[in-house]
């Protein structure tokens, strides 16, 4: 579920207040949570009078919303920052948001001195004040202290002093990881007019031995079901038909008003008039109750897809990872899903080469892939991360061995997917139309199972993007299906 994304194209680029006088460029790395945070950041900036642009060259302010889940993701951010350092001479300002910001904090100013703003995801609610500060607007002193900001004014001649001081403005918003607040904003600039994210729970209290998220995104905190439902209704009124509920552990959701369980919230969202599809991501196996499967059975708008990261098929490794479940407990949850009335598509995340993972442990993971029959697996080589307990574990697996295991796992999963996707040939599926591929003359659709189904449609039956149509599956690949519209 992790990906690198292109700059966000907002749904609207209008200016909500005042005359725009500053432009910004925002690039997002990482998970859906980051993508959605960026939508909220874009909305907040537009509200503050900024205009979003699509290239760094056009921008006064360049922002990176970063991911630090694995070392590679983090390095990518620093490379990107280094690439654009030369633009500082043109008076552009740089800000680092998200997980690398939270993890590295003020060290970012040492590694990338051209950066002016470092802000973790738990502090985005303070963005308007930080932006005002960045522009040099006067602020109340209490705000300045709270934001832990610092303006360094180096010695220099009077001609250069102002520009040097500006380039060394250093603002940090990092200290709110214990906040109870979620980053809610009415100014979310959603990028897709048909399908939208709603964050229902932020942070994570699970502390898996390998994971930085509890350190970067702070403690777990849920929104009230009332505010989530209000947002879903507003989205339905605006014409959205698909809602994706987001959370690092979406199913650990606990309504602060104690009125709804996660399964009840899911069902209530699925019953909002106008909503045709509801997805949720990512679920933690420990908190995955049978009531979620019952809700999927009872409410047809809940999509028949569950992403349930297993990480390893070996109970010994799961224990070392501090995952809080055994292989058998995980498989019990799979059994619940397999006994559902609709076939539920199951996907997962796997880490190979965790310290101490033996050949026998790895064989158990391969066996589990077979036993579950996943429709997709996101697989990663273990990457040591700062502050995490796994750093002190012995028996590190050599890089070459991690690569060998990753390739073996991907080859096995490819075989499984080829067989699984083939089973759909001849079936009729409803898809939401996501776009059109000019070069191939195909429409791109997504099934409730979350599979891509590319299809052809004769001229008078051209479907609209965002509409739902029935497609007959005529062919399959390891990662997608092929079909023809049913007219
Ligand atoms: N190394 C490798 N993969 C990791 N993930 C999280 N932390 C690490 C790490 N240190 C993977 C897990 C998680 C997914 C989002 O990223 O599989 O489910
Ligand atoms: Fe990381 Fe584990 Fe929390 Fe998932 S549950 S975000 S892997 S600590």
């Amino acid at each position: 579920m992790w990906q690198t994304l292109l700059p966000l194209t907002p749904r609207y680029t209008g200016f909500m207040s005042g005359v725009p006088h500053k432009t910004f460029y925002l690039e997002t790395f990482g998970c859906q949570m980051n993508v959605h945070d960026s939508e909220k950041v874009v909305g907040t900036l537009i509200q503050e009078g900024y205009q979003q642009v699509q290239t760094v060259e056009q921008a006064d302010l360049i922002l990176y919303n970063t991911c630090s889940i694995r070392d590679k993701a983090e390095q990518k951010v620093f490379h990107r920052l280094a690439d654009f350092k030369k633009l500082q001479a043109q008076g552009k300002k740089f800000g680092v948001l998200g997980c690398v910001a939270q993890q590295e904090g003020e060290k970012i100013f040492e590694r990338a001195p051209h950066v002016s703003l470092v802000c973790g995801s738990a502090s985005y609610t303070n963005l308007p004040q930080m932006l005002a500060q960045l522009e040099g607007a006067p602020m109340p002193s209490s705000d300045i202290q709270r934001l832990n900001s610092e303006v360094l004014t180096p010695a220099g001649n009077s001609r250069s002093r102002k520009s040097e001081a500006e380039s060394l403005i250093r603002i940090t918003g990092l200290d709110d990881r214990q906040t109870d607040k979620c980053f809610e904003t009415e100014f979310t600039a959603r990028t897709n007019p048909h399908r939208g994210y709603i964050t229902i729970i932020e942070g994570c209290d699970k502390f898996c031995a390998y994971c930085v998220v509890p350190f970067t995104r702070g403690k777990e905190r849920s929104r009230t079901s009332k505010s989530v439902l209000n947002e879903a209704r507003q989205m339905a009124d605006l014409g959205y038909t698909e809602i994706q509920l987001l959370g690092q552990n979406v199913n650990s959701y606990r309504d602060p008003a104690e009125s709804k369980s996660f399964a009840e919230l899911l069902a209530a969202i699925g019953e909002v008039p106008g909503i045709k599809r509801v997805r949720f991501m990512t679920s933690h196996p420990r908190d995955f109750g049978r009531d979620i499967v019952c809700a999927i059975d009872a409410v047809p708008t809940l999509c028949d897809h569950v992403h349930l990261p297993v990480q390893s098929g070996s109970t010994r490794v799961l224990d070392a990872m501090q995952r809080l479940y055994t292989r058998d407990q995980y498989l019990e949850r799979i059994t619940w899903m397999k006994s559902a009335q609709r076939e539920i598509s199951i996907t997962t995340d796997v880490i190979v080469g965790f310290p101490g993972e033996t050949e026998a442990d790895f064989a158990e993971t391969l066996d589990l892939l077979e036993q579950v029959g996943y429709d997709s697996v996101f697989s990663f080589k273990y990457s040591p991360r700062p502050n995490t307990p796994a750093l002190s574990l012995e028996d590190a697996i050599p890089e070459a061995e991690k690569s060998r295991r990753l390739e073996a796992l991907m080859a096995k999963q490819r075989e499984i997917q080829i067989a699984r996707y083939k089973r759909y040939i001849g079936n009729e599926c409803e898809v939401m139309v996501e776009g059109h591929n000019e070069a191939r003359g195909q429409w791109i659709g997504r099934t409730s199972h979350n599979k891509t189904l590319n299809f052809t449609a004769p001229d008078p039956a051209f479907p609209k993007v965002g509409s739902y149509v029935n497609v007959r599956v005529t062919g399959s690949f390891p990662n997608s299906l092929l079909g023809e519209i049913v007219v």
Side-chain angles (χ1 to χ4, degrees), residues 2 69-70 210-211 309 311 349-351 378 380-385:
W2 242 248
I69 195 93
R70 285 169 291 276
Y210 51 81
C211 186
Q311 313 300 358
D349 294 345
V350 172
I351 297 177
F378 296 83
F380 311 101
K381 290 192 267 182
Y382 166 68
S383 166
R385 304 310 294 131

Side-chain angles (χ1 to χ4, degrees), residues 435-444 454-457 477 482-483:
H436 185 238
N437 183 328
E438 294 284 340
R440 290 197 183 155
Q442 284 173 344
W443 297 89
I444 305 160
N454 297 311
F455 63 97
T456 50
F477 300 99
L482 193 65

Side-chain angles (χ1 to χ4, degrees), residues 69-130:
I69 195 93
R70 285 169 291 276
D71 188 52
K72 232 184 182 169
E74 187 181 328
Q75 294 316 319
K76 207 181 246 175
V77 172
F78 283 106
H79 286 139
R80 191 74 107 244
L81 280 171
D83 283 350
F84 292 122
K85 185 172 187 297
K86 54 186 182 299
L87 296 172
Q88 187 193 21
Q90 298 168 17
K92 297 185 192 300
K93 288 178 181 154
F94 294 84
V96 178
L97 312 177
C99 294
V100 176
Q102 191 66 57
Q103 179 188 291
E104 295 298 301
E106 299 192 2
K107 279 189 264 167
I108 291 178
F109 296 131
E110 287 159 32
R111 272 181 86 172
H114 53 299
V115 169
S116 304
L117 170 72
V118 171
C119 177
S121 64
S123 304
Y124 290 155
T125 40
N126 298 328
L127 264 177
Q129 293 98 308
M130 288 188 248

Side-chain angles (χ1 to χ4, degrees), residues 427-431 433 443 453-464 467-474 482-487:
N427 285 10
E428 220 179 88
C429 300
E430 186 186 59
V431 298
V433 183
W443 297 89
L453 201 175
N454 297 311
F455 63 97
T456 50
D459 194 345
F462 277 179
K464 274 202 195 129
S467 67
Y468 292 80
V469 296
N470 285 335
V471 176
R472 180 162 302 105
V473 181
T474 55
L482 193 65
E484 290 162 359
I485 196 166
V486 178
V487 280

Side-chain angles (χ1 to χ4, degrees), residues 136-147:
M139 289 184 66
S141 57
S142 59
D143 272 357
I144 292 178
Q145 271 170 10
R146 187 162 55 79
L147 297 174

